[in-house]
Each structure stands twice: as structure tokens, then as C-alpha cells.
Amino acid sequence: MAVGVIVLTWTAVQMTVSIAIAEEKIVLRCAPFYTTKVSISDVVAVSMAPDTSLADGYGLRLVRAKTRGLIVGWPAITLETKNRRWIISTAQAEKVVRTMIKLRLSEQGCYSKKRKRRNHDESPP
């Protein structure tokens, strides 16, 4: 029994959450147990969430209908897609939010460093 508790505790402590961008997908991983991919075009909103702690649970959490969490403590973000809401722990929450907002705007064609400026004073031909 004690060995089981130690193994379970060790496994929980070793869990990590990562967020990566691969091609047109956001890869959400709660290692070593869970990985999913979200299409960047499916993201409708991203924002800061309240910090998470062990009291919120640990690992993949089914928070409520259509809301899942990848929680290991730390600050967190909320990632909303067309079908689901995610609460994701990340040590660099503000940076992740900024990056995802830029990705989403870029996907919509609203953000580009090389974007041509349009002169709004021109009348159409």
C-alpha cells in the first residue's frame, strides 16, 4: 500500500504541462499521460486565468461540461475553441497569451510585420 502511494505521488510530481506550436496546430501535453492538438483556426479567445494549485487538482481535469484543465500549479491561461474551453497551467502565462493572440490574428490576416499599409484616403477605382 505504501509503495502504491509513493509511486502515485512520484508520478504526479513528475507531470508537466507543455504548449507547443507545430504547423497549424497548438499541441497541448500533460506528460506523460495526455496529448491533444488544437487547430489555430479553431481558437476563438485566449486570456489569463486565475493561478492554479493542488487544490484545483493535478493533471488532466474534467472541470465541467466542455471545460478541461491541464493543471500542475503555476499561473494559467484560458484557451477557448469553438467546441471546448481549456484551463492550462504554464509558468510563462503572459508570454503564451501574447504569442497565441499574435498567431490567431495572423491566421485571420489581421497581423503581419510585412503587411502593406493601405491609404484610406484613396477612392476606389
Side-chain angles (χ1 to χ4, degrees):
M1 175 87 162
V3 173
V5 171
I6 291 170
V7 169
L8 184 61
T9 302
W10 181 83
T11 303
V13 170
Q14 296 302 311
M15 268 191 241
T16 59
V17 170
S18 65
I19 302 168
I21 308 300
E23 298 173 16
E24 298 297 316
K25 303 280 185 184
I26 300 168
V27 181
L28 305 174
R29 180 173 290 130
C30 185
F33 302 112
Y34 181 80
T35 300
T36 191
K37 295 178 182 176
V38 175
S39 176
I40 292 170
S41 61
D42 286 346
V43 175
V44 294
V46 62
S47 61
M48 295 293 296
D51 290 357
T52 60
S53 69
L54 288 178
D56 299 311
Y58 211 76
L60 174 64
R61 310 302 300 165
L62 303 175
V63 180
R64 56 184 161 281
K66 296 190 178 188
T67 302
R68 291 193 180 160
L70 298 177
I71 300 172
V72 293
W74 300 337
I77 66 164
T78 299
L79 177 68
E80 294 186 42
T81 68
K82 296 173 183 174
N83 301 315
R84 178 162 287 132
R85 182 175 187 221
W86 292 90
I87 300 169
I88 308 162
S89 297
T90 175
Q92 299 179 9
E94 291 178 11
K95 182 178 179 181
V96 171
V97 167
R98 282 193 310 271
T99 300
M100 287 196 183
I101 288 171
K102 286 181 184 178
L103 280 172
R104 186 64 188 123
L105 291 175
S106 177
E107 177 78 16
Q108 294 173 342
C110 301
Y111 178 84
S112 174
K113 290 184 179 181
K114 295 183 179 181
R115 191 171 131 195
K116 289 184 179 179
R117 293 181 64 162
R118 182 173 178 208
N119 185 346
H120 295 285
D121 294 334
E122 292 179 320
S123 50

